[in-house]
Amino acid sequence: MKYNMETHCYELLTFLKQGYYNYRYVVVSEGEGAAMDRYFMEGSHKQTENDYQLFVYHRNPSESYDRLINYTKFNSRN
């Protein structure tokens, strides 16, 4: 990628096949002992905590509504 002084953005034009792509921004230091810092842009999310809710429904073929038969809430750390 190259920095565009007019738009103040990094840009790159490339051709990719149709599909889904995963990508990551990496900053490469210059000078002696140069290293890549992949956490500079996005940080590390390894300690992120998430709450989830799970709803389980059942529909009896003879009825016209869904019945809630189970519910649970859990956390990614437990």
Side-chain angles (χ1 to χ4, degrees):
M1 296 178 76
K2 296 195 186 238
Y3 190 74
N4 183 332
M5 296 295 274
E6 293 177 12
T7 62
H8 303 289
C9 297
Y10 284 95
E11 299 175 347
L12 174 70
L13 177 63
T14 187
F15 295 102
L16 300 171
K17 290 184 178 182
Q18 184 176 352
Y20 293 97
Y21 291 89
N22 292 321
Y23 61 91
R24 180 175 295 173
Y25 291 104
V26 176
V27 176
V28 179
S29 303
E30 292 184 16
E32 202 171 308
M36 292 190 303
D37 183 4
R38 65 183 186 153
Y39 299 114
F40 178 78
M41 297 294 259
E42 298 179 7
S44 173
H45 302 286
K46 67 180 181 181
Q47 295 177 348
T48 302
E49 182 177 356
N50 294 304
D51 291 320
Y52 299 96
Q53 295 180 22
L54 177 65
F55 297 88
V56 179
Y57 293 94
H58 172 73
R59 175 175 286 198
N60 191 328
S62 64
E63 298 172 342
S64 62
Y65 63 91
D66 297 330
R67 183 184 305 255
L68 179 65
I69 60 172
N70 198 356
Y71 165 81
T72 187
K73 184 176 179 180
F74 55 97
N75 185 284
S76 61
R77 293 194 180 189
N78 298 343

